[in-house]
Amino acid sequence: MSEQKVDTRLWSSKARNLSPYVPGEQPQHANLCKLNTNENPFPPSPKVGEAIANVLEQQAYDLRLYPAPESDDLRASLAELYNLDINEVFVGNGSDEVLALVFASFFLKERPVLAPDISYSFYPVYAQTFGVELVQIALEDDFSIDPDAYRQPCSGIIIANPNAPTGLLLSLADIRKLASEHSNSVIVIDEAYIDFACIDETNSSTQVSAVSLINEFDNILVTQTFSKSRSLAGLRVGMAFGNASLIEALTRMKNSFNSYPLDKLAQAGATASVLDNDYFEQTRQQVIDLRKSLTTQLTTLGYQVLPSHANFVFARPKDGNASAVAAKLREQGIIVRHFDKPRIQEYLRITVGTQAQHERLIDALTAMQTYSEDSETISNMG
Amino acid sequence: MSEQKVDTRLWSSKARNLSPYVPGEQPQHANLCKLNTNENPFPPSPKVGEAIANVLEQQAYDLRLYPAPESDDLRASLAELYNLDINEVFVGNGSDEVLALVFASFFLKERPVLAPDISYSFYPVYAQTFGVELVQIALEDDFSIDPDAYRQPCSGIIIANPNAPTGLLLSLADIRKLASEHSNSVIVIDEAYIDFACIDETNSSTQVSAVSLINEFDNILVTQTFSKSRSLAGLRVGMAFGNASLIEALTRMKNSFNSYPLDKLAQAGATASVLDNDYFEQTRQQVIDLRKSLTTQLTTLGYQVLPSHANFVFARPKDGNASAVAAKLREQGIIVRHFDKPRIQEYLRITVGTQAQHERLIDALTAMQTYSEDSETISNMG
C-alpha cells in the first residue's frame, strides 16, 4: 500500500505517528549471497530438529493445548547454562519482543532513556511506540562509547554490546562504571552478538558478557538472542537476564500483552540448542575464525575494517564509495547492508558468511577494483 | 515471587500499575480431565505435523534465517479461504497479540472503547496496558448483548462473538447496526469461537461470521484464532480480517513492536491447517455434536445451560453452588472454570471434551447429586 493512498481516518494518533522499523530485506532468489542480516552461516544444532521432530511424533496431539506460558524448561536450561536462578531469566518471541517489553517496563518515566546515536535502529522505534523520550549520545570519532558522555539524569541506558553496526565492544569495566553511576536507572546491555566477542581471539572463553555482573548490580539487565550465535533466527526466541525484580516486571508486562509468546516447538527447539553446548562452542569459534580471515582479505584490498566482536564486519572501501560498491555487488547477487546515515555512509556492514561466500565476495570486490583502476587493468592485460 | 517481596524501585509506573491477565491453569498431571481452557478435544490436522516435519527435513538449514516477516504464504491461504485480498488479512502470535495491537492502533483516543461487562477478561488488561479508557456495558438479564446500549460516543467497540464465557451469539443484523451507528469507530468482533457457531444446528454452513461484512463496512475488524477450532493453541497463531487500511495500521504497529512474531514452523503448520479444509469441517462438526449431547446430559441433571455457540457450555447447577461443584470435581482430577464475579458466580464454564471426558464428568456430577440428596441415596440403597 503506497504512502499517499493510506486512509488513516480510523487510526489512533499513535498509529498515525509511527515510523516502523525496517528490517534488512529477505529476498528469496536462488544463488543469492546474502550477507545483509547477520544470520549465522551454519545451521542450528541437529539436536534442535530432533527435539522438534520428537514433539511432533510423541506429542502432536498436544499441539491442541496451550504451551507453558513462562517457558519453564527453556528458562531452566538457560539458568543452568549461566549459573543463575530461574527467576533471573526471562524469554520472549525474539529479543525484539523482549526489548519492547523492556522499554515499557523500565524506560517509561519522566526522564529520558539514553542510547548511542549509532546503534540498533529499533531503539528509537520502541521509544516512539511507548512514548518514551530517547536522547542519543554521540559515539566518539573512532565509534567507541565513552561512559562519561552518559553522565546525565535518565530513566535508563540501552547499549548494544558489541554495538551494531560497528561491531565494537564495550569493556565490563565501562559497564560497571555506568551501572554504579546510575544506580536508580536500568542499564540494558543488548548482547545480541556477544557470543562472537572475545578480548583474546585465541581464547574465546575470556569473560565479556555482562551476565557476570547481574548478581553484583540489581540495575543491569542483559538481553540476548537465539537468532545469531545459535542459528535460530527462524524460531524467534530471545531472552533477558537480571535481578529477579527486573524479571518480574517483564513477566507482568508480558502477561498484560500476550501470555504465551513462545509456541511449543520453539520452546523445545531452543531448549535443545542450549543443551548442545559442544555444537555451540564449535560453530561460534568457526564464525570467529571466518571473521578473522575476512578482515584480513578486506584489509588487503585496502578496506579499513573496524575491530569486530560480532558476526559482521564494518568496513570502509578506500575511496569511501560504499553505496556504489553495495549497488555493484547487488548486481551480482551479493547483498550487503549500507546505511545512508551521517558518519557511517562510507561504510558497509558485511555479515560473516561461509568460506565460499567470502570467496565470491572478495572475487567481486577484486574485479571491481581491477576494472576501476587503469594501471592495474593494464598490468593485468600485459 | 510473592506479592509483598517485589522490589519495584526501578519499574516504570506503567509496570507498577498493571493487573496482568491470568490464563486458565495448565496443570501437567496425568489422567487429568482438563475442561477449563477451551482447547479442542481433537488433535490438529495430520497435515500440520507433516508440513512442519517437511520444513525440518528440507529446510532445517534455513532455520538460521529470519522468517517471512509478514507471513505471506499463510496470509494468502487465509485470503483464499475467505475470498479476501491478502491486504485484508493480518496474522500474529495468537489472537492475544493481535488484540493487543488492535487496542494500540484503534482504541487509543480521547473517547473510551466499549465492551460488554461480562466478556473476555483480557480486554480490561489491554486497556490498562495501553492507557485506553474502557467502559463496560452491562449484558441484559439473559446475558444477551443489546446494540442499543452501545449508543454513546466511543473510539471503538470490542465484542467477543460468540461471547465468553456465556457462549451466546450476536446476530449479523446487530453487528451491522453497531457498524452503521458508529461509522467513525472501529467495531472489533473477536470471533475466537465462531467456527463452532451455527444458527441451524443441522447445517453448520449457515453464515454467522462478520468476515462476510468487511467488504461492506470499512470499520469492522474481525479477529480469529487457530487455538480453538484448528486445535493449534500450542502453535500461537491468530489473525484479523478487515479493510486494507485497518490491516495497514496493524502492520505498522507490529513493525514498531516486533517484526517477526511468527516463526517458520508456525507459519508452515498454520498454512497446512488452512489448506486441509475437510479435516477442519469434520472436527468442528464433531465438537458441535458433542456440545449438543453434553448440553442434554447436563440439562437432565437439572443444570440450566445457556444456548452455546462455542466449544464450551456455560451451565448453572440447580442449587447455584458452582464454586462447590468445581472444587469437588477438582478433587477427582476434573478441572472446569469458575469465575468468582458478580452475576456469573453461580455458573461453570465447561469446555466441550471427548465422549470419554463427558462420561467421566457426568458420572462425577451424578454421584455428587446422589450423595447430596438423601431421598435418592435411600432409594438407591433400597
Side-chain angles (χ1 to χ4, degrees):
Chain A
M1 183 174 284
S2 65
E3 203 61 32
Q4 64 272 28
K5 282 187 187 169
V6 178
D7 171 11
T8 64
R9 183 176 62 92
L10 296 165
W11 298 18
S12 66
S13 57
K14 182 180 279 291
R16 280 190 200 132
N17 293 332
L18 292 172
S19 309
Y21 176 70
V22 181
E25 57 185 326
Q26 297 286 345
Q28 298 297 318
H29 316 294
N31 199 29
L32 208 64
C33 183
K34 192 173 173 306
L35 302 173
N36 68 323
T37 49
N38 301 340
E39 288 139 335
N40 200 306
F42 301 108
S45 158
K47 303 284 186 194
V48 172
E50 287 169 22
I52 296 169
N54 192 50
V55 173
L56 293 175
E57 277 163 35
Q58 309 292 321
Q59 308 165 46
Y61 176 64
D62 288 350
L63 280 179
R64 70 190 182 86
L65 301 176
Y66 285 90
E70 308 306 342
S71 303
D72 297 322
D73 290 350
L74 174 56
R75 285 167 61 232
S77 73
L78 288 165
E80 181 157 343
L81 179 72
Y82 285 118
N83 199 23
L84 299 172
D85 188 271
I86 191 169
N87 290 330
E88 296 171 320
V89 180
F90 178 83
V91 296
N93 186 264
S95 61
D96 281 350
E97 189 194 53
V98 175
L99 289 168
L101 299 172
V102 162
F103 269 72
S105 300
F106 306 119
F107 297 156
L108 191 52
K109 296 180 181 173
E110 301 276 301
R111 293 157 290 161
V113 62
L114 313 179
D117 63 339
I118 297 170
S119 192
Y120 186 30
S121 53
F122 218 137
Y123 300 154
V125 177
Y126 292 130
Q128 198 180 41
T129 304
F130 294 103
V132 169
E133 187 192 353
L134 182 140
V135 170
Q136 296 189 320
I137 309 293
L139 294 182
E140 301 297 291
D141 287 344
D142 63 359
F143 296 126
S144 68
I145 288 169
D146 175 11
D148 292 341
Y150 289 75
R151 212 172 274 151
Q152 56 181 278
C154 60
S155 64
I157 297 171
I158 183 162
I159 288 176
N161 193 44
N163 197 12
T166 65
L168 299 187
L169 187 71
L170 189 68
S171 71
L172 287 189
D174 283 342
I175 293 171
R176 278 174 182 281
K177 188 174 182 181
L178 287 169
S180 303
E181 290 184 358
H182 297 87
S183 59
N184 288 316
S185 306
V186 179
I187 312 302
V188 177
I189 308 299
D190 175 357
E191 295 189 344
Y193 300 103
I194 196 69
D195 295 324
F196 305 114
C198 44
I199 297 166
D200 175 359
E201 288 218 355
T202 61
N203 177 8
S204 68
S205 68
T206 311
Q207 190 63 262
V208 287
S209 169
V211 171
S212 59
L213 303 180
I214 70 170
N215 284 320
E216 190 179 342
F217 294 94
D218 70 357
N219 62 331
I220 289 184
L221 187 86
V222 178
T223 61
Q224 292 187 1
T225 179
F226 282 71
S227 298
K228 310 299 182 184
S229 57
R230 295 188 180 276
S231 306
L232 286 171
L235 212 54
R236 316 309 309 126
V237 185
M239 59 278 214
F241 307 105
N243 184 281
S245 73
L246 299 181
I247 299 306
E248 174 72 10
L250 291 174
T251 304
R252 290 195 192 183
M253 192 61 73
K254 175 198 82 115
N255 286 329
S256 302
F257 183 84
N258 185 16
S259 307
Y260 307 94
L262 283 196
D263 67 54
K264 286 194 178 222
L265 306 178
Q267 290 188 34
T271 305
S273 168
V274 174
L275 296 178
D276 191 359
N277 206 50
D278 288 349
Y279 183 89
F280 169 76
E281 291 293 347
Q282 179 192 323
T283 51
R284 78 162 170 167
Q285 191 57 52
Q286 284 178 287
V287 171
I288 290 169
D289 293 345
L290 281 161
R291 176 180 71 207
K292 200 170 175 179
S293 63
L294 177 62
T295 301
T296 303
Q297 288 172 300
L298 288 168
T299 305
T300 303
L301 279 174
Y303 279 65
Q304 178 204 345
V305 185
L306 268 60
S308 173
H309 289 270
N311 71 333
F312 56 82
V313 295
F314 203 49
R316 184 185 176 281
K318 57 186 167 192
D319 299 330
N321 57 340
S323 174
V325 172
K328 281 185 195 163
L329 287 174
R330 172 176 293 268
E331 287 169 13
Q332 299 172 56
I334 302 168
I335 317 287
V336 300
R337 192 124 193 223
H338 174 251
F339 299 88
D340 192 14
K341 289 183 179 172
R343 296 184 67 188
I344 58 171
Q345 72 270 49
E346 295 190 351
Y347 286 79
L348 295 172
R349 195 193 67 185
I350 306 171
T351 302
V352 173
T354 60
Q355 190 66 48
Q357 287 177 314
H358 288 184
E359 281 165 20
R360 191 167 151 195
L361 171 75
I362 296 298
D363 283 353
L365 292 176
T366 305
M368 242 180 254
Q369 294 200 338
T370 307
Y371 183 77
S372 67
E373 288 171 20
D374 285 345
S375 60
E376 282 187 36
T377 308
I378 291 163
S379 73
N380 282 346
M381 290 169 73
Chain B
M1 182 176 283
S2 65
E3 204 61 32
Q4 64 272 27
K5 282 188 187 169
V6 178
D7 171 11
T8 64
R9 184 177 61 93
L10 296 165
W11 299 17
S12 66
S13 57
K14 182 180 279 292
R16 279 190 201 134
N17 293 331
L18 292 173
S19 309
Y21 176 70
V22 181
E25 58 185 325
Q26 297 286 347
Q28 298 297 319
H29 315 295
N31 198 28
L32 208 64
C33 183
K34 192 174 173 308
L35 302 173
N36 68 323
T37 48
N38 301 341
E39 288 138 334
N40 201 305
F42 301 108
S45 158
K47 303 284 186 193
V48 172
E50 288 169 23
I52 296 169
N54 191 50
V55 173
L56 294 175
E57 277 162 35
Q58 308 291 322
Q59 307 166 49
Y61 176 62
D62 287 351
L63 281 179
R64 71 190 182 87
L65 301 176
Y66 285 90
E70 308 306 342
S71 302
D72 297 323
D73 290 350
L74 174 56
R75 284 167 61 233
S77 73
L78 288 166
E80 181 157 342
L81 179 71
Y82 285 118
N83 198 23
L84 300 172
D85 188 271
I86 192 170
N87 290 330
E88 296 171 321
V89 180
F90 179 82
V91 296
N93 186 264
S95 61
D96 281 351
E97 189 194 53
V98 175
L99 289 168
L101 300 172
V102 161
F103 270 72
S105 299
F106 306 119
F107 298 156
L108 192 51
K109 297 180 181 172
E110 300 276 302
R111 293 158 289 161
V113 61
L114 312 180
D117 63 339
I118 297 171
S119 192
Y120 186 30
S121 53
F122 217 137
Y123 299 156
V125 178
Y126 293 130
Q128 199 180 41
T129 305
F130 293 103
V132 169
E133 187 192 352
L134 183 140
V135 170
Q136 296 188 322
I137 309 293
L139 292 183
E140 300 298 290
D141 287 343
D142 64 357
F143 296 126
S144 68
I145 289 169
D146 175 10
D148 292 341
Y150 290 75
R151 212 172 272 149
Q152 56 181 276
C154 61
S155 64
I157 297 172
I158 182 162
I159 287 176
N161 193 44
N163 197 12
T166 65
L168 300 187
L169 187 71
L170 189 67
S171 71
L172 286 190
D174 282 344
I175 294 171
R176 278 173 183 280
K177 188 174 180 181
L178 287 169
S180 302
E181 290 184 358
H182 298 87
S183 59
N184 288 316
S185 305
V186 179
I187 312 302
V188 177
I189 308 298
D190 175 356
E191 295 189 344
Y193 300 103
I194 196 70
D195 294 324
F196 304 115
C198 43
I199 296 166
D200 175 0
E201 288 218 354
T202 61
N203 177 9
S204 70
S205 67
T206 311
Q207 189 64 262
V208 288
S209 168
V211 171
S212 59
L213 303 180
I214 69 170
N215 283 320
E216 191 179 342
F217 294 94
D218 70 357
N219 62 330
I220 289 183
L221 187 86
V222 178
T223 61
Q224 293 188 0
T225 178
F226 281 72
S227 298
K228 310 298 182 185
S229 57
R230 296 188 179 276
S231 306
L232 286 171
L235 213 54
R236 315 308 310 125
V237 185
M239 60 278 214
F241 306 105
N243 183 280
S245 73
L246 299 182
I247 299 306
E248 174 71 10
L250 290 175
T251 304
R252 289 195 193 183
M253 192 60 72
K254 175 197 81 118
N255 286 329
S256 302
F257 183 83
N258 186 15
S259 307
Y260 307 94
L262 283 196
D263 67 55
K264 286 192 178 224
L265 305 178
Q267 290 189 34
T271 305
S273 168
V274 174
L275 296 178
D276 191 359
N277 206 50
D278 288 348
Y279 183 89
F280 170 75
E281 290 294 346
Q282 181 193 321
T283 51
R284 78 162 170 167
Q285 189 57 52
Q286 285 178 285
V287 171
I288 289 169
D289 294 344
L290 281 162
R291 176 180 70 207
K292 200 171 175 180
S293 62
L294 178 62
T295 302
T296 303
Q297 289 172 298
L298 288 168
T299 305
T300 303
L301 279 174
Y303 279 65
Q304 178 203 347
V305 185
L306 267 60
S308 173
H309 288 270
N311 70 333
F312 56 81
V313 295
F314 203 50
R316 182 185 178 281
K318 57 187 169 191
D319 300 328
N321 58 341
S323 174
V325 172
K328 281 186 195 164
L329 287 174
R330 171 177 294 268
E331 287 169 13
Q332 299 172 55
I334 303 169
I335 317 285
V336 300
R337 192 124 192 220
H338 175 251
F339 298 89
D340 193 14
K341 289 183 179 173
R343 293 186 68 189
I344 58 171
Q345 72 270 52
E346 295 191 350
Y347 287 79
L348 296 171
R349 195 193 68 185
I350 306 172
T351 302
V352 173
T354 60
Q355 189 65 50
Q357 287 177 315
H358 288 184
E359 281 165 19
R360 191 167 152 195
L361 171 75
I362 296 298
D363 284 352
L365 293 177
T366 305
M368 241 180 255
Q369 294 199 337
T370 307
Y371 183 78
S372 67
E373 289 170 20
D374 286 344
S375 60
E376 282 187 36
T377 309
I378 291 163
S379 74
N380 281 346
M381 290 169 71

